[in-house]
Structures are given as structure tokens and as C-alpha cells.
């Protein structure tokens, strides 16, 4: 189902009009038109693209999903691809919704997946209606501001999960398989988030260079604010990526240390057991020995066992082997 709006002189004058009226409305230089298409078919999108003069390559990119975030310039219009993100703390997975846009001097056509929350974008337009006088850049700013905020929110939630993983590194108990699986899922989500966050620098930077072509030049401070958020999200993503790698390495190191402690304990107890075995084996020979057949010989052998065992135990204990 298509959604539509038209602004004139910075005011919303109509919405919900048929798609067929878009071509006529954009001929009015004082009008700024928004058309939203949710999961359109190829034929529908090609028909609208032909009516609006959209390049065939831009239409092809809008039809194909899983495009990287980018801004392509064509004769008379731009093609924009962005992704909204949401991190699920329960599963450790990242959900990504893609949206494409055709941008001209006075028209914005968004082509999105059904799970892309366009209502949140519309809400931001309504909250900042005073900026509508700046033309199509106002619509682009609302779209990009929302998308970048979802990236920032996802990075913040992943940071909370990474802090929880840090506590498992130096915990009293061993690292469980559940902790390892969760660390892997979070790392996978972070890699996926990085793929859609890092290219946004080029997207916003490219729009700032063309801001005067598409608007009156007064939206630049707002785009700079979005660009600052993009940089912060990018830096945060990179630092979390390095931190997760350090946590993984620490997990492996702690596992190795625990294994070494176990081996030292097993070796120490084996040594303690070996000494009494040696003494009893020696006195068990079929040969006469000091105290053979005497009561005091029995007590001497037991005393040797106790003294040797206690000595070994105290020695290993002092070296923190037990």
C-alpha cells in the first residue's frame, strides 16, 4: 500500500493521494512530494520509475535487496540505500530492515521492506514540521536521522551485552558453552552492524556536498549533526569489535590457565600417592629388612609414609600447586 504527502511553502497540504497524481504534482516547483512504496513488485516499480524519469540501474538496485548503504548520483536524481537496525538482547541477533529512495529536487520516493518502521520517520517529520520549508532535504534529514539513531541504539545495547561478557572473564566459575555461544552471536551481530554503519559516512558526506543542489543550504547544520552521530556509532562499533576479540582471547587464556591448574593438582596428588606406594612396595619384598617381623618395623614404615606424604603436600601447597 502506497503512502503519499505533499508540502507547499513549508506546510503539509495533502496526503494519501493516488500514485497517479505524483507526476503532475512534481511539475510544480513549489511542491515537495513524498511517495512511499512498501515491497512493490518489479513491474510496479519500473512503471513508477519510468514516469518519474528514474534511471534503470537505480530501479534495479531498488528491486534487489541487501544493497550496501550507498548514494549513487544519476542525471537528475540520486539513489539512496539505507538500513535500520534493531538488536535483540534475548537472542543476541541483529535485525536489519532495508529502504531505498529516489531523490530529486522536489520529490522523495521511498521503497522499503515491510518491517522498515516508516511510521517513526513520519513522526519525526511531524515533530520538526518547522523545517519543511527547506524542501526535500528536510525529508531526507528525517529519514537519515532515524536510521542513524537505530544504529546508535543497537551499538548501545550491544555494549551492554559486551559488559556482561566481561564479567565472565574473571569470574570464579569456568566459561560455559552458553557464554561462548552468546559471545559468538554478539560478535556476528556486531560484524553485521559494522557493514551498515561504516558506509553511512560516505552517504551523509555525499548528501552534504549536494545539499545546495537539493535544498536552500540551511539544512547543513542538521546533516552535520547526523554525520557526527555516524562517526560516533562507527568508532563505538570498532572499539566493541576489538573488545570482543580481547574477551575471546581472554576466555581462551583463562581456559588454558584452569587446565594448567588442574594438571598441577593431578600431578601433585599422583606424586603424593606414589611415595607411599614406593615404601609399601619396598617393604613388601620377600627379603629381610630392618624391622622385618617386628612391631616397630610396622610403625616405622607407617611413619615414613605419613612424613613423606605431609612433606610433599606442604611443598606443593606452598607453591600453589594444590
Amino acid at each position: 500500500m502506497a503512502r503519499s504527502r505533499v508540502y507547499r511553502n513549508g506546510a503539509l497540504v495533502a496526503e494519501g493521494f493516488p500514485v497517479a497524481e505524483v507526476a503532475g504534482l512534481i511539475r510544480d516547483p513549489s511542491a515537495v512530494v513524498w511517495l512511499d512504496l512498501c515491497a512493490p513488485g518489479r513491474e510496479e516499480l519500473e512503471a513508477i520509475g519510468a514516469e518519474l524519469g528514474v534511471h534503470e540501474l537505480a530501479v534495479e538496485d531498488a528491486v534487489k535487496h541487501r544493497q550496501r548503504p550507498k548514494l549513487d548520483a544519476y542525471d537528475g536524481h540520486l539513489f539512496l540505500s539505507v538500513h535500520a537496525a534493531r538488536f535483540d538482547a534475548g537472542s543476541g541477533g541483529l535485525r536489519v530492515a532495508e529502504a531505498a529512495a529516489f531523490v530529486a529536487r522536489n520529490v522523495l520516493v521511498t521503497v522499503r521492506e515491510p518491517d522498515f518502521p516508516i511510521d517513526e520517520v513520519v513522526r519525526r517529520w511531524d515533530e520538526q514540521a518547522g523545517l519543511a520549508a527547506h524542501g526535500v532535504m528536510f525529508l531526507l534529514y528525517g529519514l537519515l536521522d532515524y536510521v542513524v539513531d537505530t544504529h546508535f541504539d543497537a551499538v548501545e545495547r550491544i555494549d551492554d551485552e559486551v559488559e556482561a561478557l566481561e564479567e565472565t572473564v574473571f569470574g570464579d566459575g569456568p566459561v560455559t558453552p552458553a557464554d561462548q555461544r552468546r559471545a559468538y552471536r554478539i560478535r556476528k551481530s556486531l560484524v553485521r552492524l559494522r557493514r551498515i554503519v561504516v558506509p553511512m559516512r560516505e552517504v551523509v558526506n555525499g548528501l552534504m556536498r549536494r545539499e545546495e543542489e537539493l535544498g536552500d543550504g540551511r539544512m547543513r547544520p542538521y546533516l552535520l549533526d547526523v554525520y557526527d552521530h555516524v562517526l560516533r556509532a562507527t568508532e563505538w562499533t570498532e572499539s566493541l569489535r576489538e573488545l570482543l576479540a580481547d574477551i575471546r582471547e581472554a576466555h581462551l587464556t583463562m581456559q588454558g590457565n584452569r587446565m594448567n591448574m588442574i594438571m598441577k593438582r593431578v600431578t601433585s596428588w599422583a606424586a603424593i600417592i606414589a611415595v607411599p606406594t614406593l615404601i609399601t612396595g619396598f617393604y613388601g619384598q620377600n627379603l629381610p629388612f630392618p624391622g622385618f617381623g617386628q612391631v616397630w618395623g610396622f610403625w616405622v614404615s607407617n611413619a615414613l609414609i605419613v612424613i613423606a606424604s605431609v612433606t610433599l603436600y606442604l611443598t606443593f601447597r606452598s607453591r600453589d600447586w594444590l
Side-chain angles (χ1 to χ4, degrees):
M1 180 179 179
R3 299 177 61 177
S4 55
R5 280 188 171 191
V6 60
Y7 294 84
R8 280 193 178 91
N9 300 320
L12 176 64
V13 296
E15 59 181 325
F17 50 84
V19 178
E21 298 181 10
V22 173
L25 289 171
I26 62 176
R27 295 189 182 96
D28 182 2
S30 65
V32 177
V33 181
W34 169 60
L35 175 64
D36 175 65
L37 304 174
C38 181
R42 176 182 287 271
E43 295 181 358
E44 179 185 2
L45 194 57
E46 289 177 348
I48 294 175
E51 188 174 359
L52 300 179
V54 178
H55 196 280
E56 59 180 350
L57 292 179
V59 174
E60 184 70 18
D61 286 342
V63 171
K64 293 182 178 179
H65 296 293
R66 299 294 175 258
Q67 296 285 331
R68 70 185 295 271
K70 63 179 181 177
L71 180 68
D72 293 336
Y74 296 95
D75 187 16
H77 69 90
L78 303 175
F79 173 77
L80 175 69
S81 177
V82 293
H83 300 75
R86 185 171 70 87
F87 180 73
D88 185 0
S91 63
L94 184 74
R95 297 182 180 180
V96 177
E98 184 177 356
F102 307 126
V103 188
R105 179 74 183 183
N106 65 335
V107 61
L108 173 67
V109 180
T110 54
V111 182
R112 61 183 175 87
E113 295 179 345
D115 53 349
F116 187 92
I118 195 66
D119 290 337
E120 290 296 321
V121 179
V122 174
R123 183 180 60 82
R124 296 195 178 207
W125 289 340
D126 294 337
E127 290 178 351
Q128 298 177 308
L131 299 177
H134 302 311
V136 73
M137 289 303 298
F138 155 70
L139 301 177
L140 275 175
Y141 164 69
L143 175 63
L144 292 176
D145 187 51
Y146 169 73
V147 168
V148 173
D149 280 352
T150 64
H151 298 170
F152 209 87
D153 182 66
V155 174
E156 188 175 12
R157 292 178 181 271
I158 291 177
D159 182 68
D160 294 337
E161 295 298 318
V162 172
E163 287 184 1
L165 283 175
E166 283 183 299
E167 297 178 0
T168 65
V169 175
F170 300 105
D172 295 332
V175 179
T176 64
D179 293 332
Q180 294 177 342
R181 285 193 297 268
R182 187 160 189 81
Y184 174 77
R185 292 194 194 101
I186 294 175
R187 181 174 177 81
K188 185 177 180 180
S189 296
L190 190 61
V191 170
R192 190 180 181 189
L193 180 62
R194 182 178 180 273
R195 291 174 183 171
I196 64 176
V197 169
V198 174
M200 287 299 294
R201 291 181 298 184
E202 301 175 8
V203 171
V204 180
N205 194 26
L207 281 175
M208 287 193 297
R209 290 197 300 267
R210 295 176 173 84
E211 200 271 334
E212 293 184 358
E213 300 175 10
L214 298 173
D216 55 9
R218 297 182 180 180
M219 289 298 296
R220 187 175 184 84
Y222 298 93
L223 293 177
L224 284 172
D225 181 66
V226 175
Y227 187 71
D228 178 66
H229 290 173
V230 170
L231 292 180
R232 290 172 59 191
T234 302
E235 293 171 356
W236 203 349
T237 302
E238 294 291 350
S239 63
L240 286 179
R241 185 186 178 198
E242 296 177 0
L243 184 56
L244 267 177
D246 292 340
I247 291 175
R248 175 59 178 167
E249 184 177 352
H251 279 169
L252 295 176
T253 302
M254 294 299 292
Q255 286 181 338
N257 291 340
R258 289 191 178 97
M259 182 61 70
N260 290 336
M261 293 298 297
I262 293 172
M263 293 301 298
K264 286 194 297 184
R265 289 186 174 94
V266 171
T267 304
S268 300
W269 284 113
I272 293 173
I273 295 172
V275 171
T277 303
L278 174 64
I279 296 174
T280 55
F282 177 77
Y283 279 95
Q285 296 182 74
N286 296 323
L287 295 173
F289 56 85
F292 180 77
Q294 303 294 324
V295 176
W296 64 268
F298 168 77
W299 290 110
V300 168
S301 64
N302 280 283
L304 289 174
I305 292 174
V306 172
I307 293 172
S309 300
V310 171
T311 302
L312 287 173
Y313 177 82
L314 294 176
T315 302
F316 295 149
R317 187 74 175 179
S318 64
R319 297 183 181 182
D320 197 26
W321 287 16
L322 287 175

